[in-house]
Amino acid sequence: MCGIIAVTGSGASVEILTTGLRRLEYRGYDSAGIVLHTRDDGFLRFRAAGGTKSLVALESEAGAFHGEVIAGIGHTRWATHGGPTLFNAHPHFDCGENIAIVHNGIVENFRELKEELLAGGHVFSSETDTEVIAHLIEVQLPFSPSLVDAVASVAKRMRGAMSFVVVGASEPGVIVGFKRMAPMVVGTDGSSWFLASDIPAILDRAGTFFQIEDENLVVLTPKGARMLTLDMVDVPMESFGVDWTLESAERSGFDDFMSKEIFEQPAALRDTLAGRMTRDGLLLLDEQPSDLDLWARVDKVFIVACGTSFHAGMVAKYAIEHWTKIPVELDISSEFRYRDPVVDERTLVVAVSQSGETLDTLAALHEARNLGAQTLAVCNVVGSSMARLADAVLYTRAGPEVGVAATKTHTSQIGALMMLALQLARVKGQLYPQEVRDLYDQLLAVPAKVTEVLGLWDQMRDLAVRYGGCSRFYFIGRHVGYPVALEGALKLKEISYLPAEGYPAGELKHGAIAMLDADAVVFAIATRTRLYEKVMSNVEEVRARNSAVVVIGNPGDESVVSTGETFISVPRLHPLFAPMVDVIPLQMFAYHVARGLGNDADRPRNLAKTVTVE
Ligand code: AGP
């Protein structure tokens, strides 16, 4: 997830670009950069990399330019392909520096395209997938009537969700954009035309906005905008106005980041999964271990994590053991290093962390390395401490998560860990390449199912109104429903501050059932995973204690609830993939309860987004 801005017309300036980038920083701030198409000096590029200081450095460097700007493009980066370095900072050029591009999203087939370009003599100056687009346009332009025709030909070759914006030295004042399942909007004040990843970037400049439909190009000049299909057929553009304040616009109109991030889950999961597996069923890690054959000799997997990341790790344990037959141990990071974990060079230790900075998990990773284990970091922040320390890295590509309560990174972690499980099964010879491919294809269908679940938003709000006043909440599940139950309880505790517990449903009768009475609410995760019938038997035990019952189940099972109980229907998936949809109603419930209580869902009391103390 990155932020893009572009401007052409009388208002084009460094200030418009950098102000827009400031408002897009929530989309990432690994680096910032602009290219100005100037009257006297052609293209001028300014870039800076240094986390939150990037934009400050860019403003001071580019702010010193006082010449005439015809058009400009800008970018704030959330690193996916290539570390958060200066040479990976956008905009990127082609070989001749006649094409400049900024890009948000992933070019899934960039490896094969890059090989083709390298064979054709192109020289790359970054590790990004973005740069292939610039070089491909460079190849295409001499055979095209104009820049937009060249961009159309190249866009047809791209796989993956993305939006990008291009300027060409041969067409001053022309900006060409392409959109496919990644946000981009057009705006104008009548004398300048803008493109941006999000409305806040241009909200104080533009009064009129236009949506760009997926698979379409947009061409801006100082005089106006055109939308075109990839076959160069004009598409009518419909304008709309916006009555948001700048503050609410940063959250794309959502009330807070947590709700926004809940709704970003289909895109986050899609970006995490897309283009990660070869036709032979081999996982494309972001950083490969020095010797992948070592993974074939792994005889134990150890997963270390904290909080929500630990719950994702729990789901992974079921999947890895099922597909690989390798034993998996799971440990809370802060426990791992203070006992004597039995780990050696045939153990793969997997550190799971959104931030990649959580001190306990980082320390566990250090300990694993000291013990001679092979290590893998699964994290969301490129270049984070864990990513730098581990032998191998698999990034979730969920984009920055601002809300303290993890949502989109959690479902993305599960997606990433499922791919890891398939990879281990493949290298251990437990699954044939075709079986891995078939399961991966099923995995790729999950984001669409997540979109369906988001339709439960209002129903979960009603449920929060109904039960928000209850005193205690229990979440029960078995098999992969157990980590879902734990996560449901953690979300509720974190932002509503209400007592909530997650339990393996079969364990309830060994103690916690004593707590159940008519003032307790029990959520049962009863989708069609392995132990569905047994979970429903446990629900009977709850009913006998007069507690309120909410069943998370699959379509067709609605009749399992009795009068007065609630059935929340979520799509049925492969049992091991089910947690990625089953957990979402619970995130929404927690969110609505917290809001109903007047709590700040983004900044719950006593918590920090990243815990860097022991
Ligand atoms: C999740 O909602 C919490 N904020 C917390 O449990 C979090 O998952 C935990 O602190 C681990 O953080 P990490 O993923 O960045 O390592």
Side-chain angles (χ1 to χ4, degrees):
M1 189 159 124
C2 301
I4 290 175
I5 183 164
V7 58
T8 184
S10 59
S13 68
V14 170
E15 200 253 327
I16 279 187
L17 292 167
T18 52
T19 306
L21 291 180
R22 170 85 49 214
R23 300 208 187 105
L24 291 171
E25 261 195 314
Y26 77 89
R27 302 180 67 84
Y29 42 73
D30 288 327
S31 60
I34 59 175
V35 159
L36 307 174
H37 199 161
T38 66
R39 178 75 61 201
D40 300 326
D41 302 301
F43 281 170
L44 288 181
R45 179 167 70 174
F46 302 90
R47 298 185 296 175
T52 48
K53 296 196 183 81
S54 310
L55 197 48
V56 179
L58 178 72
E59 279 163 343
S60 110
E61 203 193 327
F65 175 76
H66 296 297
E68 187 182 345
V69 178
I70 304 168
I73 59 176
H75 188 268
T76 182
R77 180 164 187 249
W78 174 262
T80 57
H81 293 68
T85 58
L86 186 61
F87 65 88
N88 286 328
H90 296 217
H92 290 290
F93 285 138
D94 63 324
C95 295
E97 302 198 354
N98 294 311
I99 306 290
I101 180 168
V102 288
H103 164 230
N104 169 33
I106 290 159
V107 181
E108 287 175 20
N109 53 336
F110 93 97
R111 285 184 182 82
E112 64 194 60
L113 295 170
K114 188 166 180 176
E115 274 168 28
E116 174 189 313
L117 287 159
L118 287 169
H122 288 259
V123 177
F124 282 75
S125 49
S126 78
E127 302 157 334
T128 64
D129 50 346
T130 306
E131 202 185 333
V132 298
I133 310 175
H135 290 276
L136 287 171
I137 295 170
E138 176 181 29
V139 172
Q140 200 58 40
L141 198 54
F143 307 102
S144 308
S146 67
L147 180 63
V148 65
D149 295 87
V151 173
S153 307
V154 169
K156 285 179 184 168
R157 298 195 63 194
M158 300 290 141
R159 287 207 306 270
M162 71 188 76
S163 57
F164 63 82
V165 174
V166 176
V167 285
S170 58
E171 297 184 33
V174 175
I175 291 172
V176 179
F178 171 68
K179 177 179 184 303
R180 179 192 290 149
M181 290 161 66
M184 194 158 70
V185 66
V186 174
T188 184
D189 61 1
S191 59
S192 302
W193 286 81
F194 308 92
L195 269 175
S197 298
D198 208 348
I199 289 171
I202 50 177
L203 188 58
D204 57 344
R205 309 283 178 168
T208 310
F209 297 88
F210 302 86
Q211 290 295 2
I212 311 167
E213 301 302 329
D214 279 335
E215 295 300 327
N216 281 333
L217 300 157
V218 62
V219 184
L220 302 188
T221 68
K223 295 206 173 95
R226 275 173 81 192
M227 187 157 71
L228 300 155
T229 67
L230 289 181
D231 294 321
M232 308 306 284
V233 177
D234 272 290
V235 180
M237 297 177 73
E238 283 183 25
S239 66
F240 63 97
V242 169
D243 56 6
W244 300 339
T245 62
L246 251 182
E247 200 198 2
S248 75
E250 270 182 7
R251 301 182 299 256
S252 307
F254 286 91
D255 288 335
D256 39 43
F257 282 102
M258 184 177 175
S259 55
K260 178 170 178 278
E261 286 157 4
I262 287 173
F263 277 85
E264 283 174 346
Q265 288 181 102
L269 200 47
R270 203 179 296 120
D271 286 350
T272 297
L273 299 172
R276 294 303 268 275
M277 209 159 258
T278 67
R279 295 205 188 288
D280 292 341
L282 283 171
L283 176 63
L284 295 165
L285 291 159
D286 295 278
E287 301 285 341
Q288 297 280 356
S290 52
D291 181 3
L292 198 54
D293 285 348
L294 290 173
W295 281 26
R297 295 201 289 278
V298 160
D299 61 9
K300 180 160 75 171
V301 174
F302 225 121
I303 299 175
V304 288
C306 303
T308 290
S309 298
F310 180 79
H311 300 153
M314 283 180 78
V315 177
K317 172 180 165 75
Y318 290 95
I320 296 171
E321 288 185 341
H322 175 75
W323 281 320
T324 69
K325 316 299 174 209
I326 307 173
V328 180
E329 278 201 55
L330 190 69
D331 223 340
I332 293 283
S333 309
S334 52
E335 292 295 316
F336 177 83
R337 62 188 175 129
Y338 294 118
R339 57 194 188 87
D340 297 308
V342 182
V343 168
D344 60 26
E345 66 287 348
R346 296 189 67 171
T347 309
L348 175 65
V349 173
V350 183
V352 185
S353 172
Q354 176 280 131
S355 58
E357 302 292 346
T358 301
L359 188 78
D360 288 325
T361 308
L362 189 59
L365 194 58
H366 270 291
E367 178 69 7
R369 283 176 63 87
N370 290 341
L371 293 169
Q374 297 165 58
T375 54
L376 169 72
V378 177
C379 50
N380 197 42
V381 180
V382 172
S384 56
S385 300
M386 283 179 221
R388 293 199 304 273
L389 183 64
D391 301 316
V393 184
L394 177 58
Y395 287 119
T396 49
R397 293 174 179 159
E401 190 174 65
V402 178
V404 165
T407 51
K408 64 175 179 171
T409 54
H410 176 62
T411 41
S412 298
Q413 283 170 341
I414 299 175
L417 290 165
M418 291 300 114
M419 293 192 293
L420 172 67
L422 293 174
Q423 163 77 353
L424 288 170
R426 167 83 166 81
V427 298
K428 295 295 286 183
Q430 292 289 342
L431 288 175
Y432 290 114
Q434 191 52 46
E435 290 176 297
V436 171
R437 274 303 309 187
D438 291 346
L439 286 160
Y440 177 61
D441 287 343
Q442 287 185 54
L443 202 48
L444 291 177
V446 175
K449 302 292 178 193
V450 171
T451 302
E452 281 179 44
V453 187
L454 295 174
L456 295 169
W457 184 252
D458 289 344
Q459 192 182 349
M460 298 316 294
R461 179 168 45 214
D462 294 346
L463 203 65
V465 170
R466 180 171 171 191
Y467 291 126
C470 291
S471 64
R472 280 158 291 125
F473 295 83
Y474 297 87
F475 294 79
I476 59 170
R478 300 178 81 134
H479 195 254
V480 289
Y482 171 35
V484 173
L486 289 174
E487 179 59 11
L490 181 64
K491 283 286 94 75
L492 190 60
K493 276 184 277 204
E494 279 189 294
I495 57 174
S496 76
Y497 323 136
L498 292 170
E501 280 187 73
Y503 254 89
E507 180 69 7
L508 208 56
K509 58 186 170 293
H510 296 287
I513 202 164
M515 300 289 292
L516 295 188
D517 59 19
D519 205 26
V521 183
V522 179
F523 281 75
I525 319 307
T527 48
R528 290 275 176 166
T529 54
R530 209 176 217 184
L531 298 172
Y532 166 75
E533 270 94 11
K534 289 190 186 297
V535 176
M536 288 316 300
S537 304
N538 298 131
V539 170
E540 288 301 333
E541 298 161 9
V542 172
R543 284 187 179 124
R545 274 81 195 172
N546 299 320
S547 299
V549 172
V550 179
V551 172
I552 310 290
N554 291 141
D557 288 335
E558 291 80 357
S559 59
V560 295
V561 291
S562 312
T563 311
E565 297 179 351
T566 307
F567 187 84
I568 304 295
S569 182
V570 296
R572 184 171 179 174
L573 301 184
H574 183 292
L576 290 164
F577 300 160
M580 286 178 273
V581 300
D582 296 357
V583 75
I584 290 172
L586 307 183
Q587 298 170 343
M588 294 179 184
F589 179 74
Y591 172 82
H592 287 305
V593 171
R595 292 273 299 181
L597 292 169
N599 298 348
D600 181 344
D602 286 344
R603 288 177 290 266
R605 72 184 185 199
N606 306 341
L607 296 179
K609 181 67 184 163
T610 304
V611 184
T612 51
V613 290
E614 195 178 349

